[in-house]
Amino acid sequence: MDFDDYESLPNGSVGVHMTAGALAGIMEHCVMFPIDSVKTRMQSLAPSPDAAYRSIREGLMKMVNSEGIMRPLGGVSAVVIGAGPAHALYFSAYEGIKARFASSNSLQNHMVNAGAGCGATILHDAIMVPADVIKQRMQMYNSPYASCYDCVRKLYRMEGMAAFYRSFTTQMAMNLPFHAIHIATYEKIQTVLNPDREYNPRVHMVAGAAAGAFAAASTTPLDMCKTVLNTQEASALVHLQQSRVVGILGAFRTIYIMNGMSGFFKGTRARVLYQMPGTAISWSVYELFKHMMSQRRSESPPPLWDSDLLKDNVVRESVTETDTSIKSSGSEGKVPVLTLGSTTNKTVERLRSLHMPTITANCAAADDSWLRK
């Protein structure tokens, strides 16, 4: 399959990107949600002895044994509701920006990819930040909320609408570099391992996992700040003698007072292990869906007149009236006439392969009709 066939999706490609992105996002977050639950608890500033985990495996075992088999999935419905539209906007915006500013210059393309990731992140976070707040409140040990709906209702009643966007600036400060690093790394690995940009599940998975791991490790301190702002951990607030943690600077101060410099890197391993398979799944599902749509496009029969050539003004199509005595299959003939502009041998060959059989058949039918007369 040609690069152009794979990279350019059929008409309505925005819808295709949004659908593929939504499926990829939901699968990524749902499959890796138990690991994310452990990561949130490992980032606790003052964990309960019953929720102090030394490893992901230990955390999952303790959660299941003491709180039930479904406890690692507490809050997953918030992610399902948020991840679909958030990732739909993310991938469609990313592809749109990348296509709009693509360049033949390699360095400039890396900058475009990183910029596309940053631009898409703004739309993504507008939806995902409130979902993250609900999710992390549900994931905490001894969470006082019975369900996601109960969490939304109580949060709004007690802390107002601001509670859902308290970590927005922090999450943006984290996600902008995260997605810039993530996208640039993914595209770079693709360039090295898959220069023809064909559909290659193994490369998509490896590139996605490596990009996610590198970006996750680089932005862990900001993720820690986001968790502190989202959870507003009661034991930490009591220790600091304050009602709540406000802003990214307040989060930095709280972490440093409670745990020192090492506190900024709590849960790094869990975050990396969560992001690696998560981003691998996300990119694999997205590229698979994109490949399936491009396959459908390549298998569809070509139109009589090549719309791409007409759109590029390489060919101008006109229809001329002919003598009504010349008929083909019993109907009045309207013979399509091609007028070639400046073009290349490749374009001429493409025209010939697409249209000459039809034109030849029409001419033969007209000759037969004339001879019979």
Side-chain angles (χ1 to χ4, degrees):
M1 182 183 298
D2 291 340
F3 171 77
D4 290 338
D5 291 336
Y6 179 59
E7 287 298 315
S8 57
L9 289 170
N11 292 335
S13 59
V14 172
V16 173
H17 290 309
M18 293 185 78
T19 304
L23 291 173
I26 291 171
M27 284 196 66
E28 170 195 350
H29 285 281
C30 289
V31 170
M32 300 308 301
F33 193 85
I35 307 298
D36 186 51
S37 295
V38 176
K39 184 214 71 164
T40 297
R41 293 194 179 188
M42 291 180 76
Q43 290 181 329
S44 174
L45 295 175
S48 165
D50 294 330
Y53 312 132
R54 291 170 295 180
S55 67
I56 296 173
R57 181 180 178 182
E58 180 188 1
L60 286 173
M61 293 295 292
K62 280 189 174 182
M63 288 176 74
V64 170
N65 291 336
S66 62
E67 302 173 62
I69 193 169
M70 297 302 294
R71 188 63 186 94
L73 295 176
V76 70
S77 57
V79 167
V80 172
I81 294 171
H87 281 73
L89 288 174
Y90 177 83
F91 278 105
S92 59
Y94 164 67
E95 292 286 357
I97 296 171
K98 187 175 74 169
R100 174 67 179 82
F101 296 101
S103 169
S104 57
N105 182 283
S106 176
L107 177 60
Q108 187 174 340
N109 254 347
H110 289 314
M111 295 176 65
V112 167
N113 293 334
C118 291
T121 298
I122 297 172
L123 297 175
H124 171 275
D125 283 0
I127 296 175
M128 206 60 197
V129 167
D132 269 342
V133 172
I134 299 165
K135 174 198 75 173
Q136 291 196 303
R137 294 283 180 116
M138 293 290 296
Q139 287 173 332
M140 293 301 291
Y141 181 70
N142 279 340
S143 174
Y145 310 109
S147 65
C148 288
Y149 174 74
D150 182 52
C151 180
V152 172
R153 186 171 56 84
K154 288 181 178 178
L155 264 181
Y156 181 75
R157 188 178 64 204
M158 297 176 65
E159 302 180 42
M161 193 66 187
F164 298 99
Y165 284 94
R166 187 172 288 127
S167 66
F168 183 74
T169 53
T170 302
Q171 192 145 330
M172 285 289 291
M174 176 189 73
N175 281 345
L176 286 175
F178 174 89
H179 286 290
I181 295 169
H182 178 198
I183 294 293
T185 305
Y186 178 80
E187 294 289 351
K188 179 62 178 177
I189 295 174
Q190 283 276 83
T191 302
V192 174
L193 299 182
N194 188 19
D196 295 331
R197 294 304 180 94
E198 296 178 346
Y199 175 65
N200 189 325
R202 183 177 298 178
V203 172
H204 297 321
M205 189 168 291
V206 170
F214 183 49
S218 304
T219 56
T220 296
L222 289 168
D223 183 62
M224 184 67 192
C225 292
K226 180 203 76 172
T227 299
V228 169
L229 290 170
N230 280 347
T231 57
Q232 298 291 317
E233 201 173 342
S235 55
L237 295 177
V238 170
H239 180 82
L240 295 171
Q241 297 182 347
Q242 60 188 54
S243 58
R244 63 175 54 110
V245 181
V246 179
I248 187 170
L249 294 179
F252 268 103
R253 175 178 171 274
T254 300
I255 295 168
Y256 184 76
I257 291 174
M258 296 291 296
N259 297 126
M261 286 301 296
S262 62
F264 292 100
F265 297 93
K266 294 182 73 172
T268 299
R269 183 183 300 177
R271 176 168 162 77
V272 170
L273 291 178
Y274 163 73
Q275 288 291 348
M276 279 184 69
T279 48
I281 291 169
S282 180
W283 280 110
S284 298
V285 172
Y286 178 72
E287 297 285 4
L288 171 63
F289 200 93
K290 187 176 174 181
H291 171 68
M292 290 169 59
M293 295 303 297
S294 60
Q295 282 285 85
R296 286 178 56 188
R297 181 189 186 189
S298 63
E299 291 171 1
S300 61
L304 179 61
W305 308 113
D306 194 312
S307 59
D308 290 334
L309 295 175
L310 291 171
K311 182 173 63 178
D312 294 337
N313 292 323
V314 176
V315 178
R316 296 188 300 278
E317 179 184 2
S318 63
V319 178
T320 60
E321 296 287 345
T322 62
D323 188 351
T324 55
S325 62
I326 301 178
K327 298 181 180 180
S328 175
S329 302
S331 61
E332 292 188 1
K334 287 189 177 182
V335 181
V337 178
L338 289 179
T339 305
L340 294 180
S342 58
T343 184
T344 63
N345 290 334
K346 184 177 179 180
T347 303
V348 172
E349 290 299 324
R350 187 177 181 187
L351 280 168
R352 183 180 298 166
S353 64
L354 284 174
H355 309 308
M356 283 305 294
T358 304
I359 295 173
T360 303
N362 288 341
C363 291
D367 288 344
D368 289 343
S369 176
W370 183 81
L371 288 173
R372 282 196 298 271
K373 290 180 64 177

